[in-house]
């Protein structure tokens, strides 16, 4: 079963999709104009850069469209949006975290308890179960933790 997006997140994604589609039309029109102009190497470089921009916009359109459609169910390499986990670190401390797909969904004051599904910790939780040991990279180095509990949305 596909995950339901919160209404606010859905509205943000729909607005982003509208903006992306407008940007794509603009880039495609500019590229078509560049193709008809005879230019120098600088113009060729601009055309290549525009092509790269167009590819990036197309990829983001695909991602946003997938998120709006509910995304792939329990996508490989990603923990589902809304997953809650309690972790016990090597120093004995425990922390509960909640994984979100969209960073804008992180509630004010909850930044320390929320991770994105594609963050190093979010990816480390993918495919894991209670009792598993995970490790992930942080700016301070590699961190290890044991998964005390893991609750998927809808469970």
């Amino acid at each position: 079963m596909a995950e339901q997006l919160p209404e606010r997140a859905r509205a943000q994604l729909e607005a982003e999709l509208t903006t992306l589609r407008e940007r794509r039309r603009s880039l495609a029109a500019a590229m078509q104009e560049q193709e008809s102009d005879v230019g120098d190497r600088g113009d060729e470089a601009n055309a290549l850069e525009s092509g790269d921009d167009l590819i990036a916009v197309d990829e983001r359109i695909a991602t946003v469209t997938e998120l709006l459609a509910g995304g792939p169910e329990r996508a490989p390499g990603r923990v589902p949006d809304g997953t809650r986990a309690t972790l016990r670190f090597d120093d004995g401390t425990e922390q509960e975290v909640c994984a979100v797909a969209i960073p804008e969904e992180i509630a004010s004051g909850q930044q320390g308890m929320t991770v994105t599904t594609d963050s190093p910790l979010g990816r480390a939780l993918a495919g894991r179960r209670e009792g598993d040991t995970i490790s992930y990279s942080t700016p301070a180095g590699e961190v290890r933790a044991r998964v005390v509990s893991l609750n998927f949305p809808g469970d």
Side-chain angles (χ1 to χ4, degrees):
M1 181 166 95
E3 300 170 37
Q4 291 292 333
L5 282 173
E7 194 56 41
R8 191 181 107 234
R10 177 169 291 286
Q12 288 174 332
L13 287 171
E14 288 171 348
E16 180 182 1
L17 189 57
T18 298
T19 302
L20 286 166
R21 287 181 174 152
E22 289 169 7
R23 173 93 173 120
R24 189 192 191 294
R25 279 191 288 277
S26 174
L27 283 169
M31 285 182 65
Q32 196 168 24
E33 238 176 72
Q34 287 174 351
E35 287 175 4
S36 64
D37 293 341
V38 176
D40 59 11
R41 290 193 186 273
D43 291 333
E44 289 176 20
N46 287 340
L48 288 173
E49 185 175 322
S50 294
D52 289 344
D53 290 346
L54 188 60
I55 290 168
V57 168
D58 283 342
E59 289 174 350
R60 183 62 186 160
I61 286 172
T63 299
V64 170
T65 301
E66 183 177 279
L67 287 170
L68 285 168
E73 189 172 339
R74 304 232 176 153
R78 295 190 76 172
V79 66
D81 184 38
T83 298
R84 294 191 170 281
T86 301
L87 305 173
R88 181 173 298 127
F89 297 92
D90 286 343
D91 66 2
T93 61
E94 286 190 8
Q95 181 179 4
E96 183 177 322
V97 296
C98 178
V100 297
I102 304 167
E104 289 78 16
E105 289 181 7
I106 299 173
S108 179
Q110 297 295 310
Q111 293 85 353
M113 296 174 48
T114 310
V115 298
T116 58
T117 56
D118 62 349
S119 68
L121 175 52
R123 288 191 310 265
L125 288 170
R128 301 301 180 171
R129 290 187 264 192
E130 292 178 9
D132 286 352
T133 299
I134 62 169
S135 64
Y136 58 98
S137 296
T138 71
E142 195 75 9
V143 174
R144 288 175 33 96
R146 190 172 136 275
V147 180
V148 176
S149 68
L150 192 60
N151 300 300
F152 299 106
D155 285 355

